[in-house]
Amino acid sequence: MTPVRVIGAGLAGCEAAWQISRLGIPVILSEMKPKRFSPAHRHPGFAELVCSNSLRSAQLSNAVGLLKEEMRRLGSLILTSADETKVPAGAALAVDRVAFSDLITQRIKDNPLITVTEEEVTEIPKDGVTVIATGPLTDGEMAKSISDLFGGDQLSFFDAVAPIVDAESVDTSIAYYCSRYGKGDPTDYLNCPMTREEYDAFYEALLHAATAELHDFDREAQSEPNVFEGCMPVEVMAKRGYDTLRYGPMKPIGLPDPKTGREPFAVVQLRRENTAGTMYNLVGFQTHLTFGEQKRVFGLIPGLANASYLRFGVMHRNTYINSPSRLSPQYETISRPGLFFAGQMTGVEGYVESAASGFVAGVNASLRAKGEDPVDFPAETVIGSLGHYVSSGTIGKFQPMNASFGLISPLEKKVKGGKRARNDEYAVRSLQTVGELNARLFGQTESEGNEP
Ligand SMILES: Cc1cc2nc3c(=O)[nH]c(=O)nc-3n(C[C@H](O)[C@H](O)[C@H](O)COP(=O)(O)OP(=O)(O)OC[C@H]3O[C@@H](n4cnc5c(N)ncnc54)[C@H](O)[C@@H]3O)c2cc1C
């Protein structure tokens, strides 16, 4: 049988190659290291964790914790290897990064169905089933080839996002629904009103808040005038003067507070992020503040004191495709069946999410190689919800996303007992669906295990 090609042996590429081989199809996995390293990669092994050694929460009541359990049960190479190389980290799953990478490299190299080639691939192969997983720092000829495939401006090189909060965590006894000048659907925006005193306290805190450290390649990307002026961090805007924010993203004009009938001194607008209305983003609040500082400083905004962040604001170099209507929920290119993308470049964000997309793309690439139809990973699971998000996106500009319960299909019935009880219910439903997927794809019951 003709091998499937996988390009890039990062988290997504290794997972994809492993799942393809698991379904009996040979794979050629091409990796440019150690001949060439991206500005963030250092270790010659595969599946390198370029920054933190944490794969985040291990708890099922957390979306990324549930995603890990789904992947574990499905027989993910990345998850089983992480479990074997873990180091103590409280409620999180963290690994010894070198042992983790070395174990995965060994497993891939020992796999008789996977052939590894050390080469930088400079264009998308013209035919055959292929998975491109070259990561968020894809550049040069390969970036050009992807950009040419999707057309001009469909490949982004920079990620500047404002924080996204869980709609249920916004205090609506303070924040009010209203679109500016009453135009459009009022539920499109939730407005957090500020008095002068509240604005002063927030402004002071913002001026002195701690920012995250920048990598050289992030600094370089941001020095582009069109990037910087188009998405200036909120804390930089604040430094331009006391009123800059009040004339910019915190403009109160046309947003009277129904409680007073008057426009507040300043307003932070939250824009609905998805049709279900479960997620809202802070309009114009792209930021470099550390995650802890975002929680502290944005917690001073009336209505957001107890906000739960589905995604913090970030600004960094990140190559990703404008995936909605270009990729299917299986990460397959709609205009070219048989060509899959996987990893952070599809618009998922994070180590585990990247591996998860590699899982889905790998399984479906092997089905394509066998001449079979792709299989849907339902949006009732976290792994499936990521593919559905990437292929359909949000209301505004498409932005990469971490795993989140905001992306998963809402429950059919309302659950009493608050957020925790609701999340537990999500977990029960998802793991049942994963059991069905396992039986369908691998003919396995959970008790039979999925060790690599
Ligand atoms: C600086 C930085 C820090 C990050 N920190 C975190 C973090 O702490 N936690 C977190 O959850 N996420 C983090 N991320 C986001 C993301 O989860 C990781 O980047 C993740 O590694 C993405 O997985 P991937 O498989 O898509 O890409 P990668 O893991 O980057 O793998 C891509 C692979 O493809 C290879 N490659 C690239 N181009 C070619 C080519 N043309 N031919 C052949 N091989 C090629 C690369 O050498 C690499 O091995 C970070 C991202 C960056 C850029």
Side-chain angles (χ1 to χ4, degrees):
M1 181 168 289
T2 316
V4 171
R5 287 206 64 182
V6 177
I7 301 168
L11 293 157
C14 288
E15 188 67 68
W18 191 263
Q19 299 308 328
I20 296 165
S21 73
R22 199 171 156 212
L23 289 163
I25 309 288
V27 184
I28 297 174
L29 173 62
S30 304
E31 167 56 51
M32 68 179 186
K33 293 194 299 183
K35 289 190 172 146
R36 191 181 157 220
F37 285 81
S38 85
H41 289 84
R42 302 270 178 277
H43 185 64
F46 301 159
E48 180 181 355
L49 302 179
V50 287
C51 188
S52 158
N53 67 332
S54 170
L55 273 61
R56 317 204 313 277
S57 173
Q59 294 176 315
L60 291 190
S61 53
N62 177 292
V64 78
L66 177 57
L67 174 61
K68 286 201 281 291
E69 184 56 24
E70 292 174 2
M71 292 173 69
R72 196 175 277 123
R73 293 190 186 198
L74 284 164
S76 148
L77 169 70
I78 299 296
L79 247 293
T80 44
S81 305
D83 286 338
E84 286 173 51
T85 54
K86 72 178 173 196
V87 293
L93 172 63
V95 300
D96 173 326
R97 72 178 73 235
V98 173
F100 171 74
S101 166
D102 289 350
L103 179 60
I104 290 171
T105 308
Q106 200 54 50
R107 284 191 164 143
I108 294 266
K109 289 191 169 166
D110 287 348
N111 186 321
L113 280 176
I114 305 179
T115 306
V116 173
T117 67
E118 276 178 13
E119 58 173 327
E120 177 178 359
V121 180
T122 51
E123 63 172 347
I124 299 171
K126 298 224 165 12
D127 42 35
V129 179
T130 304
V131 181
I132 311 273
T134 47
L137 301 175
T138 302
D139 64 1
E141 293 296 307
M142 181 51 93
K144 184 171 179 314
S145 181
I146 298 170
S147 177
D148 289 348
L149 172 74
F150 291 111
D153 53 358
Q154 299 308 320
L155 194 65
S156 295
F157 292 96
F158 196 75
D159 196 2
V161 261
I164 295 174
V165 294
D166 184 339
E168 281 189 6
S169 69
V170 179
D171 184 348
T172 45
S173 68
I174 300 172
Y176 55 96
Y177 290 101
C178 174
S179 288
R180 208 178 289 277
Y181 299 117
K183 287 183 187 158
D185 183 341
T187 65
D188 286 352
Y189 291 92
L190 257 172
N191 302 280
C192 301
M194 278 189 189
T195 60
R196 178 188 278 275
E197 293 69 32
E198 285 163 341
Y199 180 81
D200 287 351
F202 168 75
Y203 181 69
E204 270 306 303
L206 186 58
L207 282 185
H208 300 107
T211 50
E213 216 177 293
L214 274 184
H215 296 278
D216 285 349
F217 48 93
D218 287 333
R219 204 171 286 121
E220 243 167 61
Q222 279 172 66
S223 65
E224 299 273 335
N226 55 349
V227 169
F228 196 73
E229 286 304 322
C231 50
M232 187 182 294
V234 65
E235 61 277 9
V236 174
M237 220 183 286
K239 289 196 172 98
R240 292 197 166 178
Y242 178 79
D243 280 325
T244 311
L245 290 172
R246 291 204 325 117
Y247 288 100
M250 294 180 69
K251 189 167 62 179
I253 293 167
L255 295 171
D257 184 343
K259 281 191 215 72
T260 61
R262 290 194 311 275
E263 286 163 359
F265 185 72
V267 165
V268 175
Q269 279 209 297
L270 311 184
R271 184 168 44 223
R272 193 166 60 173
E273 185 69 24
N274 58 349
T275 9
T278 53
M279 312 192 283
Y280 276 77
N281 75 67
L282 279 69
V283 182
F285 269 55
Q286 54 276 0
T287 177
H288 258 319
L289 297 193
T290 62
F291 292 174
E293 287 290 77
Q294 290 184 43
K295 234 180 153 146
R296 182 180 70 84
V297 177
F298 301 159
L300 298 173
I301 298 169
L304 298 189
N306 297 311
S308 157
Y309 288 81
L310 299 174
R311 177 183 176 149
F312 285 104
V314 288
M315 298 188 69
H316 60 188
R317 166 85 196 278
N318 190 13
T319 306
Y320 65 96
I321 301 161
N322 186 10
S323 295
S325 71
R326 286 172 189 85
L327 298 186
S328 75
Q330 294 82 29
Y331 304 93
E332 188 175 25
T333 309
I334 290 166
S335 62
R336 207 189 120 178
L339 175 62
F340 292 81
F341 286 84
Q344 179 120 345
M345 63 161 18
T346 64
V348 298
E349 171 106 24
Y351 296 150
V352 187
E353 291 86 341
S354 295
S357 71
F359 192 104
V360 176
V363 163
N364 282 293
S366 70
L367 294 175
R368 277 285 183 221
K370 290 181 189 177
E372 295 173 21
D373 287 337
V375 74
D376 185 42
F377 283 61
E380 282 76 28
T381 59
V382 185
I383 190 171
S385 71
L386 288 165
H388 283 267
Y389 169 73
V390 154
S391 60
S392 59
T394 46
I395 290 172
K397 181 179 180 295
F398 177 64
Q399 298 285 7
M401 275 293 279
N402 287 119
S404 149
F405 285 124
L407 299 183
I408 206 164
S409 296
L411 294 166
E412 292 78 34
K413 56 182 193 311
K414 204 141 181 84
V415 177
K416 286 199 186 111
K419 195 169 143 189
R420 182 69 193 246
R422 183 196 64 182
N423 294 355
D424 288 347
E425 203 56 41
Y426 277 138
V428 170
R429 185 184 65 172
S430 124
L431 294 177
Q432 188 183 336
T433 311
V434 160
E436 289 157 13
L437 266 175
N438 237 344
R440 181 169 165 202
L441 290 170
F442 305 107
Q444 245 170 349
T445 60
E446 275 159 36
S447 56
E448 284 171 325
N450 288 306
E451 289 299 301

